[in-house]
Amino acid sequence: MTALADFRRDTFSSLAIPNYRRYYTGQAVSMIGTWMQSVAQAWLVLQLTGSGTALGSVVALQTLPVLLVGPYGGVVADRLDKRRLMIGLQSMMGLLALVLGVLTVTDTVELWHVYLLAFLLGLNNSFENPARQSFVLEMVGPEDLRNAVSLNSVLVNAARAVGPAVAGLVIAAGGLGVCFLVNALSFVAVVVSLARLDVAALRPSPPAPREAGQLREGLRYVARTPELLVPLLMMALVGCLAYEFQVVLPVLARDTFGGEASVYGFMTAAMGVGAVLGGLAVAARGRTGIPALIASSAVFGVAIAAAALAPTLWIELVLLVAVGAASVGFLSVGNSTLQLEAAPHMRGRVMALWSVAFLGSTPIGGPIAGAVAEHFGGRAGLLMGAVACLIAAGLGALVVRRHRRAQTEPNPDPVSPDR
């Protein structure tokens, strides 16, 4: 009984904090809606075009703003009250989902509508992502940060398991447009949760003054800090080529296994189940630091490679559970490592670069993954991601080895003034 109580305390310690528990509840509702929209949008694009390349283009447009203005979103997050900023941005996200839902329900939606709304959502995310990720530390403090980040990953991926399943039922009963409308409604929960936080219990970072050159200052800070630079470079490579599941899996479901939207939903749900299990393990016993990130990148690569070679759908679903677990491990270790290493007044800018590496790389990787999946099959799209993970792990290990060697080598004797 004592061991079980210790496990429960260690695994869910951050939820003992009232503010984080309230925020977590609102996010739970919103994330289910978000994954419903993700499934519905992917299938809507396939219905409109039948093209994996078009699907990759939509994903690219949704993440292109993160690449272009994401670093400035971190500057804004460091300057402003993060809670108020998130309330405004989450409200806008609900409005965009509402517009897409109305267009789809009235059967007036066209591909350019999806492109435009995806781009506007990405522009919103450019500012919301760094604010949300750096706000977690203000709610829970450094002692519970890793746990909170891991539990947030559990939440995202539990929603990945539930959302697509709900989306399948909603699509069957009411059509794709209803998924977008339900997602719009779900944003009410997260806005209300943010509005009801106990502001006095927060631990806000000191706001950065409005000065010229703050973006360049953040870039220079990361460049001279290996503990930040190495995880960001690894994430850029992995994020570009491995985290393109919303592009590759629909093609894998349709062309490799001859399935419909429900098969894609099952694949996404399987990854979500694995991510929940992996996230709970990281929350209870996870580590931070570059060595842990290297190990998790290698495991992630092996899991994706195995899924790429699965001979049947059932084996594929089992292996996607492993992919989901490895995925959340890599994300949780990288995210918490950066937040703990970053200086408080730089945290928004550092996490903005994390978002750029994770999401902003998709405008490059999304079309590549879509083209590879369309011309060579979904298995090839997965294998490309596996290779990216293994290369990232190798490069990270090489940098760490060189850094350690430089630290252990004796300095040459100083030149004597008499010489």
Side-chain angles (χ1 to χ4, degrees):
M1 184 66 72
T2 302
L4 180 60
D6 289 344
F7 174 79
R8 186 167 56 244
R9 184 186 64 249
D10 293 341
T11 305
F12 303 102
S13 61
S14 57
L15 290 178
I17 301 169
N19 267 346
Y20 188 67
R21 187 167 61 247
R22 189 173 294 126
Y23 167 83
Y24 197 83
T25 302
Q27 286 287 321
V29 177
S30 181
M31 287 294 178
I32 292 175
T34 297
W35 277 107
M36 289 177 63
Q37 171 149 336
S38 178
V39 170
Q41 179 175 285
W43 215 255
L44 175 62
V45 172
L46 284 179
Q47 279 189 354
L48 292 172
T49 67
S51 169
T53 302
L55 181 58
S57 298
V58 171
V59 175
L61 281 170
Q62 189 164 315
T63 50
L64 180 62
V66 179
L67 177 63
L68 298 179
V69 301
Y72 183 71
V75 174
V76 173
D78 282 334
R79 288 178 179 174
L80 301 181
D81 183 299
K82 297 178 182 62
R83 184 182 70 93
R84 292 181 179 176
L85 180 61
M86 289 170 61
I87 288 175
L89 294 172
Q90 292 278 345
S91 300
M92 181 58 66
M93 293 164 72
L95 179 61
L96 293 174
L98 177 63
V99 171
L100 183 56
V102 171
L103 288 171
T104 307
V105 167
T106 57
D107 202 27
T108 57
V109 66
E110 298 180 16
L111 184 61
W112 73 267
H113 294 145
V114 183
Y115 281 164
L116 176 60
L117 291 170
F119 180 81
L120 292 176
L121 180 61
L123 187 61
N124 188 95
N125 286 338
S126 302
F127 295 88
E128 197 271 342
N129 280 330
R132 172 168 42 83
Q133 295 194 59
S134 54
F135 184 60
V136 173
L137 185 61
E138 298 186 5
M139 287 187 286
V140 303
E143 60 277 3
D144 284 307
L145 176 64
R146 177 183 55 77
N147 181 265
V149 169
S150 299
L151 288 181
N152 188 67
S153 296
V154 169
L155 176 60
V156 170
N157 291 286
R160 177 186 287 176
V162 175
V166 176
L169 296 174
V170 171
I171 291 170
L176 293 170
V178 179
C179 286
F180 303 131
L181 296 177
V182 172
N183 183 39
L185 185 62
S186 74
F187 282 101
V188 175
V190 69
V191 170
V192 169
S193 72
L194 288 167
R196 294 182 61 241
L197 294 182
D198 180 5
V199 178
L202 297 176
R203 309 183 214 182
S205 303
R210 187 181 296 272
E211 297 174 349
Q214 288 180 310
L215 179 55
R216 291 192 301 273
E217 180 188 12
L219 294 173
R220 286 195 297 266
Y221 170 66
V222 168
R224 66 174 182 265
T225 311
E227 293 80 5
L228 302 176
L229 182 60
V230 173
L232 286 171
L233 292 177
M234 291 178 64
M235 184 70 249
L237 179 57
V238 175
C240 181
L241 298 177
Y243 279 101
E244 306 301 341
F245 298 111
Q246 56 187 325
V247 176
V248 175
L249 290 186
V251 179
L252 189 73
R254 185 189 64 184
D255 296 345
T256 304
F257 294 107
E260 298 294 334
S262 58
V263 173
Y264 171 48
F266 287 139
M267 288 180 171
T268 307
M271 283 191 63
V273 170
V276 169
L277 299 175
L280 290 174
V282 173
R285 295 287 185 266
R287 297 175 296 157
T288 58
I290 296 178
L293 186 63
I294 292 170
S296 63
S297 181
V299 171
F300 191 22
V302 171
I304 297 176
L309 302 175
T312 67
L313 177 60
W314 287 110
I315 295 176
E316 181 69 59
L317 293 176
V318 171
L319 291 173
L320 284 176
V321 172
V323 171
S327 167
V328 77
F330 180 77
L331 285 176
S332 298
V333 172
N335 188 303
S336 49
T337 296
L338 287 179
Q339 293 212 52
L340 292 173
E341 292 290 345
H345 68 287
M346 289 285 188
R347 192 169 292 117
R349 277 163 280 187
V350 170
M351 297 315 296
L353 293 175
W354 173 257
S355 295
V356 169
F358 180 32
L359 299 173
S361 58
T362 301
I364 301 170
I368 293 174
V372 169
E374 183 173 350
H375 294 292
F376 301 103
R379 295 185 189 277
L382 287 177
L383 281 173
M384 179 180 65
V387 172
C389 292
L390 296 175
I391 291 176
L395 292 177
L398 181 62
V399 170
V400 170
R401 189 179 301 115
R402 287 185 175 180
H403 183 64
R404 288 175 176 172
R405 186 181 303 161
Q407 289 181 323
T408 56
E409 287 179 353
N411 293 324
D413 293 335
V415 177
S416 171
D418 295 332
R419 294 180 183 174

